[in-house]
């Protein structure tokens, strides 16, 4: 990667790295590290160490991100309770949200990918982009401590989105963690916890589809909603989203209408 590209990215991140190799490592996908290591062994006939990639940084970045987002929300919205903070934080650190942050920063153009991943459209894959954001957060932390992390997270992860998410929360709209939202709604109704049942799997191993039903106490053996996804977890989230919206509409319809006295 050219120094010009590194300088451009550092300007976008708002931090100049003392140890720029940390940033390079955060941008390096395991596919490139594997290819370079394999080619090095073939050329030299040695068993050299594998080139570093960003997988370990992702682990640290995930933990640091969760801490920083939690503190920002805690200070910004002191009127919320723990469940609401949890839902906001879950939305902020979700893979979908981090991929959106990466897209705004154009991180895909800076990723260091192996040839196979490059051909497979890796620069646009949500998982790779989200992982890169976490790795960059870890690199910022290791290079400069919490200060550059807090500035980056507030500017790019939280501030552009948090007001809309808070408004959605206030209006009872389900955020990204639909299972948590559904459970909280059922708790408020003094109903038992939801039960997720895997009903069907289809498709080849690389393109699985899962069908999940969600049931709640009082609804009998019938499902109140179904969800389909490429993983069981995603199918459960979709089922929870549909169930939440259905129950919320039923509650709204059951509320008594207060009419004026005509005076």
């Amino acid at each position: 990667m050219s120094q010009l590209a590194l300088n451009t990215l550092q300007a976008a991140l708002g931090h100049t790295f003392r140890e720029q190799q940390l940033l390079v490592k955060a941008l390096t996908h395991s596919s490139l590290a594997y290819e370079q290591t394999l080619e090095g062994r073939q050329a030299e006939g040695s068993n050299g160490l594998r080139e570093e990639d960003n997988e370990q940084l992702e682990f640290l970045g995930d933990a640091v991100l969760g801490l920083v987002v939690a503190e920002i929300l805690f200070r910004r919205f002191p009127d919320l309770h723990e469940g609401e903070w949890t839902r906001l934080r879950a939305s902020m650190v979700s893979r979908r949200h981090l991929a959106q942050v990466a897209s705004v920063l154009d991180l895909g153009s800076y990723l260091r990918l192996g040839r196979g991943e490059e051909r497979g459209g890796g620069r646009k894959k949500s998982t790779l982009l989200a992982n890169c954001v976490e790795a960059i957060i870890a690199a910022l932390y290791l290079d400069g401590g919490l200060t550059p992390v807090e500035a980056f997270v507030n500017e790019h992860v939280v501030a552009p989105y948090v007001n809309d998410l808070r408004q959605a929360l206030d209006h009872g709209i389900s955020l990204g963690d639909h299972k948590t939202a559904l459970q909280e709604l059922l708790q408020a109704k003094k109903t038992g916890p939801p039960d997720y049942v895997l009903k069907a799997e289809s498709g080849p191993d690389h393109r699985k589809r899962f069908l999940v039903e969600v049931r709640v106490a009082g609804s009998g053996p019938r499902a109140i909603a179904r969800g389909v996804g490429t993983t069981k977890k995603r199918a459960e989230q979709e089922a929870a989203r549909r169930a939440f919206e259905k129950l919320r509409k039923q509650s709204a319809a059951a509320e008594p209408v207060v009419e004026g006295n005509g005076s």
Side-chain angles (χ1 to χ4, degrees):
M1 176 174 291
S2 71
Q3 188 60 49
L4 177 61
L6 281 176
N7 291 342
T8 301
L9 179 55
Q10 288 178 103
L13 299 177
H15 178 74
T16 300
F17 281 78
R18 290 174 294 181
E19 190 177 344
Q20 293 197 356
Q21 189 56 33
L22 277 171
L23 179 56
V24 174
K25 181 178 177 180
L27 299 168
T28 303
H29 186 253
S30 58
S31 61
L32 178 64
Y34 175 78
E35 286 183 8
Q36 289 184 342
T37 302
L38 184 62
E39 291 171 357
R41 288 177 179 175
Q42 291 174 340
E44 300 171 11
S46 64
N47 291 319
L49 295 175
R50 174 172 172 163
E51 176 141 354
E52 292 183 320
D53 56 50
N54 63 11
E55 289 185 355
Q56 290 182 327
L57 289 178
E58 291 169 26
F59 171 78
L60 176 60
D62 176 63
V64 175
L65 174 63
L67 168 65
V68 172
V69 169
E71 182 176 356
I72 291 174
L73 295 175
F74 178 82
R75 295 183 183 281
R76 186 166 186 147
F77 302 122
D79 58 310
L80 298 182
H81 59 68
E82 183 179 355
E84 292 169 325
W85 282 324
T86 299
R87 288 169 60 189
L88 284 174
R89 182 181 62 182
S91 183
M92 290 289 179
V93 303
S94 69
R95 318 306 293 169
R96 179 184 300 179
H97 182 66
L98 294 182
Q100 182 180 2
V101 172
S103 179
V104 172
L105 289 167
D106 193 28
L107 291 184
S109 65
Y110 296 97
L111 282 174
R112 303 177 71 232
L113 304 174
R115 289 184 292 274
E117 195 63 60
E118 182 81 62
R119 289 193 296 268
R123 296 190 186 279
K124 295 182 179 180
K125 288 183 178 178
S126 296
T127 301
L128 269 62
L129 293 172
N131 291 345
C132 184
V133 172
E134 290 179 340
I136 285 176
I137 288 171
L140 288 168
Y141 175 72
L142 293 173
D143 194 69
L146 281 175
T147 299
V149 174
E150 290 168 344
F152 171 81
V153 170
N154 188 57
E155 180 178 354
H156 298 287
V157 180
V158 177
Y161 313 97
V162 71
N163 287 334
D164 288 342
L165 288 172
R166 172 62 196 271
Q167 187 175 17
L169 188 68
D170 289 343
H171 285 80
I173 299 173
S174 177
L175 302 182
D177 187 2
H178 304 297
K179 292 179 69 175
T180 299
L182 177 60
Q183 184 156 333
E184 290 181 352
L185 179 62
L186 293 174
Q187 286 174 346
K189 290 175 170 289
K190 302 188 184 306
T191 305
D195 182 28
Y196 297 91
V197 180
L198 178 62
K199 297 298 292 183
E201 296 181 32
S202 61
D205 289 341
H206 68 283
R207 197 176 295 174
K208 281 280 190 184
R209 302 285 287 177
F210 297 84
L211 172 63
V212 168
E213 290 183 349
V214 59
R215 303 167 185 172
V216 297
S219 66
R222 294 182 58 186
I224 60 169
R226 291 182 169 187
V228 176
T230 54
T231 66
K232 184 181 176 183
K233 184 177 179 180
R234 289 179 178 175
E236 289 176 349
Q237 285 284 352
E238 177 61 15
R241 183 188 70 80
R242 291 172 178 268
F244 179 91
E245 295 298 333
K246 181 177 181 178
L247 292 175
R248 191 170 65 87
K249 289 178 180 178
Q250 289 176 352
S251 296
E255 291 179 358
V257 178
V258 179
E259 297 180 354
N261 58 15
S263 59

